[in-house]
Amino acid sequence: MSISSLPTLPAAPASAPGGPDVIARLRDALLGASFTADGLLELLGAPAYAALARSETVPALRATRGDTPLEVLVRLFLLQQPVLHARVADVLPVDACLESGWLVRAGADEVAATVDVRPYGGPDGEDWFIVSDLGCAVGGAGGIGSREEGVVLGVGGASTTLAGITIRTPVSSALDLGTGSGIQALHAARHATRVTATDLNPRALHITALTLALSGAPAADLREGSLFEPLKQGETYDLIVSNPPFVISPGARLTYRDGGMGGDDLCRSVVQGAGELLNEGGFAQFLANWQHVAGEDWQDRLRSWVPRGCDAWIVQREVQDITQYAELWLRDAGDHRGDPAEYQALYDAWLDEFEARKVKAVGFGWITLRRTGSAVPSITVEEWPHPVEQPLGDTVRAHFERLDYLRAHDDAALLEAHFALAPEIIQEQVGLPGAEDPEHVVLRQHRGMRRATKVDTVGAGFAGVCDGSLSAGRILDAIAQLMGEDPVMLRDRTPAQIRVLVEQGFLEPA
């Protein structure tokens, strides 16, 4: 199916009857009825609210049997239920919404929404609204079951993950590559003077304009085209973000998820193409899938993607074997609900594609680039499947600041430096019950990446003493005296461990 088979969208902000005033009136009405993230949670309760995020509507239907303004709006925009015209007229400027296309008549005396409008809480308590196609509010592998080629999804786990890891320092220019429903552009509008958003799907650009306008955010520069094609020669940005159609599939059936390139070529192209578009010190942040190919180190594969002149931090969050991966995305499109023979043929096609490319698994994770003037850029590729604390934007920025610090300090300078233990670090001693000494000591973070790292006795003692008052060298001299070790040898071997503790955020330069 194509875009032409999808419902007609509401008029774009600039062309709506009466101009942008219609959207402003609609926003005021939604806010006046407490149609917000907090209002929904209070009305529905936590279980029904969480079920709605899983695209399960029965608990919310049971919780909205009354006729309060908020219940009317939930049934209309979230549950896609026809509602009596008279009831909606008590809450919304119904005639203006019908004329501009937000609502359509359903039968003699009812109206229905043409799009899903979902409250979304901004990072500083802003009341935003994300517009998406009906039945597609939860984006990503949520099993929406839509086979419409140009459907535009709402906010899913991938969208919120990218928004959470993005660095939010004020910038002059930001680019949202493959904007979809506009959630990344909406976040960027808070701290970027100018926001550009691109998408191959013109319907997505239309919905992004609605999302921004209904959320009270400034309009973005919206451009139609694939990846970097819509950008002008010489344009550069301080921030680039993208949740691209990264699914590795045998074909491009669904615009929102299938990139149309072979294997993981689309993700590689996005990462490599971003380097020359970044201003000095600028960041590019992506979600991506990558192939684990037989006989090839997946980390080397990703290092080869990093463009020249860029530091990189790449974190693999999950790995699925090819059968799990194929089943996940076949279910996302609802193929498991159709003809069993057709489903089996599609499944075979996915496995044939993987086998032809010698792919044994697929990884998912985050990629952050930073344009650097360093002669020797730093590339960190790691696996961290454990829970983290979102938002992580400040943690990501601090990672690159620590890289700069370590590049500027050789071992002698580290020994002269002062360090402090980062907040909320605990020490765990691991060993057999009753043993006199632990087998090893673990330092564990309770914030940010929530890392854990093994240290020896010297490392544990050093970290425990660091409060910024003494230099690293003086602390090591004291430890050497307590342990009866040669202080010169201890000074020689310990800077490598200090570097690891600083790089991973356990120690902070004082």
Side-chain angles (χ1 to χ4, degrees):
M1 293 185 180
S2 65
I3 292 177
S4 61
S5 65
L6 291 166
T8 301
L9 292 171
S15 61
D21 177 62
V22 173
I23 291 182
R25 291 169 62 195
L26 176 57
R27 173 175 169 80
D28 288 344
L30 297 179
L31 294 176
S34 296
F35 188 65
T36 63
D38 289 341
L40 283 184
L41 181 59
E42 183 176 349
L43 171 68
L44 302 179
Y49 188 80
L52 205 58
R54 301 190 300 268
S55 294
E56 295 290 349
T57 59
V58 172
L61 285 167
R62 292 172 61 86
T64 56
R65 292 168 173 168
D67 283 323
T68 66
L70 181 54
E71 288 171 302
V72 168
L73 292 175
V74 171
R75 289 201 302 273
L76 186 67
F77 284 119
L78 295 189
L79 305 179
Q80 280 92 58
Q81 300 294 306
V83 180
L84 287 172
H85 182 286
R87 292 298 305 118
V88 178
D90 291 337
V91 186
L92 300 177
V94 66
D95 291 334
C97 288
L98 284 166
E99 185 180 2
S100 58
W102 289 93
L103 303 176
V104 292
R105 296 192 180 276
D109 55 359
E110 291 182 320
V111 296
T114 60
V115 289
D116 186 293
V117 177
R118 189 152 302 228
Y120 181 88
D124 291 328
E126 301 94 340
D127 289 315
W128 290 341
F129 300 98
I130 308 301
V131 182
S132 64
D133 274 312
L134 296 174
C136 301
V138 180
I144 63 167
S146 176
R147 301 189 185 191
E148 302 282 4
E149 178 184 319
V151 72
V152 179
L153 302 191
V155 178
S159 302
T160 54
T161 294
L162 179 59
I165 67 173
T166 300
I167 296 168
R168 298 298 175 191
T169 52
V171 295
S172 296
S173 56
L175 170 64
D176 178 11
L177 197 70
T179 186
S181 63
I183 178 60
Q184 308 306 330
L186 182 57
H187 275 279
R190 293 178 58 250
H191 61 102
T193 304
R194 174 174 58 89
V195 177
T196 301
T198 71
D199 206 290
L200 178 64
N201 183 0
R203 188 176 182 86
L205 297 176
H206 191 132
I207 282 182
T208 292
L210 298 177
T211 289
L212 293 172
L214 193 58
S215 298
D221 179 3
L222 304 177
R223 303 187 194 175
E224 182 182 342
S226 177
L227 301 180
F228 302 108
E229 287 177 2
L231 304 183
K232 300 173 185 176
Q233 185 72 28
E235 278 188 300
T236 56
Y237 296 88
D238 301 310
L239 174 67
I240 300 173
V241 293
S242 184
N243 176 19
F246 52 65
V247 177
I248 300 171
S249 62
R253 290 194 301 151
L254 302 174
T255 303
Y256 72 85
R257 71 166 202 192
D258 302 319
M261 297 186 185
D264 52 16
D265 285 352
L266 182 132
C267 290
R268 175 183 54 79
S269 297
V270 169
V271 173
Q272 291 181 337
E276 63 185 23
L277 297 176
L278 283 175
N279 293 322
E280 186 69 23
F283 288 92
Q285 298 185 263
F286 315 101
L287 301 185
N289 276 181
W290 44 78
Q291 298 173 147
H292 285 231
V293 179
E296 177 184 277
D297 188 320
W298 68 271
Q299 294 183 329
D300 289 342
R301 183 181 191 85
L302 289 172
R303 287 189 185 94
S304 73
W305 290 9
V306 178
R308 281 186 172 186
C310 288
D311 293 326
W313 184 21
I314 301 173
V315 182
Q316 180 167 271
R317 295 287 291 155
E318 184 180 2
V319 181
Q320 290 186 326
D321 67 48
I322 56 175
T323 59
Q324 291 174 310
Y325 190 81
E327 290 163 15
L328 172 69
W329 293 107
L330 288 170
R331 288 178 176 274
D332 169 68
D335 293 314
H336 62 300
R337 303 190 190 103
D339 177 55
E342 182 181 349
Y343 173 77
Q344 183 175 344
L346 288 169
Y347 201 150
D348 270 333
W350 282 66
L351 297 186
D352 286 344
E353 178 81 4
F354 285 133
E355 289 175 8
R357 294 178 176 276
K358 299 182 180 179
V359 176
K360 57 183 180 179
V362 177
F364 168 82
W366 321 324
I367 298 177
T368 300
L369 307 177
R370 182 186 63 168
R371 192 76 187 175
T372 179
S374 173
V376 184
S378 170
I379 300 177
T380 301
V381 184
E382 62 175 316
E383 185 166 19
W384 189 251
H386 310 294
V388 299
E389 181 190 48
Q390 285 275 34
L392 275 170
D394 288 344
T395 299
V396 175
R397 176 180 48 79
H399 168 86
F400 288 92
E401 291 174 349
R402 292 193 298 270
L403 285 182
D404 288 341
Y405 178 87
L406 293 172
R407 269 197 291 238
H409 289 73
D410 59 16
D411 287 356
L414 280 185
L415 293 174
E416 293 298 320
H418 295 236
F419 299 96
L421 191 66
E424 298 191 42
I425 303 292
I426 64 169
Q427 176 179 304
E428 299 174 356
Q429 296 187 351
V430 181
L432 294 173
E436 184 175 346
D437 296 312
E439 293 181 11
H440 59 263
V441 177
V442 174
L443 299 182
R444 188 178 301 277
Q445 300 169 347
H446 277 211
R447 305 295 300 272
M449 290 292 288
R450 294 179 176 170
R451 294 186 183 278
T453 188
K454 291 182 182 179
V455 292
D456 59 17
T457 305
V458 172
F462 179 86
V465 174
C466 282
D467 61 4
S469 61
L470 297 175
S471 69
R474 290 188 63 186
I475 293 174
L476 290 177
D477 290 342
I479 291 175
Q481 186 174 4
L482 285 173
M483 299 180 64
E485 290 202 30
D486 183 338
V488 175
M489 294 184 65
L490 195 60
R491 278 174 171 255
D492 284 345
R493 76 167 192 261
T494 307
Q497 191 168 189
I498 295 175
R499 286 187 181 278
V500 171
L501 292 176
V502 172
E503 181 180 351
Q504 295 188 352
F506 290 92
L507 293 179
E508 299 174 346

